Amino acid sequence: MRNSLIISFCLLALFFASCQGRGAAPAFVFTGDFVTIAHRGASGHAPEHTMSAYDLAVSSGADYIEIDLQMTKDGELIALHDLEVDRTTNGSGRASLMTLKEIKALDAGSWFNKQNPQSAEPSYEDLEIPTLEEIFQRYGTTVNYYIETKSTGMENKLINLLREYSIIGSDSKVILQSFYSKSLKKIHRLAPGIPLIQLYRYKEQAKMTTRELRSLEKYAAGIGANFDMVDEEYIKKAHSHGLAVHLFTVNTDKAIQRAVEMGADGVFTDYPEKVKRKNLLSKGGLKFKQPE
Ligand code: G3P
Ligand code: CA
């Protein structure tokens, strides 16, 4: 008798715990059209994460410009994909071990001209790595931003900058993304109104379980998934949990068409003009409604 009372109590506790979890979800209700996210800017045409790449993304009509963030030794947020500067500049070493002054002395464009002679432009030589603040100063609230925290520990600075430039609070102006759930959960605590996208690495994504999707619902508006690992069923499952699915990195006309047919909600692409050419139903950004 005593044992069955204990078991009943435990079952009741589990039931209420699971109800509480569901009550908090979803963080957002997704009601958008297919969106074009310019991956590192229009990085198929200009050196990634430079103002030239972002300018081209904006003129091509991309719905969002995508920005990867690294933090310098002196705590500045800069637009850079890799931990090191070696691949995309004439310098060498970890960005986190360099000051902003050292970062600013680098040439972030000439490598592109050498590797892409067909798209080379003299104006790309000597381009700087921009800070996030410089990007906000250039575009303000005239564009939509899709920003990735490439590590934890940059969330406070990021949210403060978004507030300072009035990008938080403007409808659909910013989506934040990360492979690190810890980073996204911290952002969710600091600024719960920002839509968040949980990125998945190739292998993690294949193991997506219902349990994981339920835990995502509590803080994320969607999933950023590798195009090569996704099918219709995967996207349907994410949608059934109220989660949008954005696929990376989708660069050919055939792949873009496939992403649309599978029911994806948007793509990260180095060639935003290819997606815009398709005249898909895009109204310039996702719409996220806070739950009632
Ligand atoms: O952010 C989506 C996609 O860009 C993730 O891959 O390595 O290009 O940042 P990566
Ligand atoms: Ca990225």
Side-chain angles (χ1 to χ4, degrees), residues 5 8 12 51 68 77 107 141 150 189 213 250-251 273 275 283:
L5 267 175
S8 304
L12 262 177
M51 291 301 191
D68 295 314
L77 293 179
D107 169 355
T141 52
K150 279 287 182 198
R189 286 195 296 276
L213 286 165
V250 184
N251 281 339
E273 78 288 353
V275 187
K283 292 174 186 157

Side-chain angles (χ1 to χ4, degrees), residues 238-290:
H239 284 174
S240 73
H241 288 261
L243 297 162
V245 180
H246 295 159
L247 302 179
F248 60 85
T249 304
V250 184
N251 281 339
T252 64
D253 286 321
K254 193 175 163 199
I256 294 163
Q257 189 57 37
R258 173 82 185 123
V260 174
E261 284 164 7
M262 283 193 291
D265 304 291
V267 288
F268 296 82
T269 178
D270 301 338
Y271 302 94
E273 78 288 353
K274 288 189 188 178
V275 187
K276 299 313 291 187
R277 238 187 263 138
K278 289 188 169 293
N279 286 324
L280 299 165
L281 270 182
S282 173
K283 292 174 186 157
L286 291 178
K287 304 285 177 261
F288 290 99
K289 277 192 322 199
Q290 294 274 9

Side-chain angles (χ1 to χ4, degrees), residues 205 226-237 245 247 258 262-264:
Q205 188 182 319
N226 190 305
F227 171 78
D228 294 326
M229 291 293 285
V230 163
D231 57 14
E232 284 88 345
E233 202 183 321
Y234 183 98
I235 293 172
K236 259 192 207 149
K237 195 170 172 189
V245 180
L247 302 179
R258 173 82 185 123
M262 283 193 291

Side-chain angles (χ1 to χ4, degrees), residues 39-40 66 68 81 146 148 150 177 179 199 224 248-249 268:
H39 183 240
R40 312 180 195 176
E66 199 238 356
D68 295 314
H81 177 272
Y146 204 121
E148 178 178 351
K150 279 287 182 198
Q177 48 162 343
F179 285 103
L199 299 174
F248 60 85
T249 304
F268 296 82

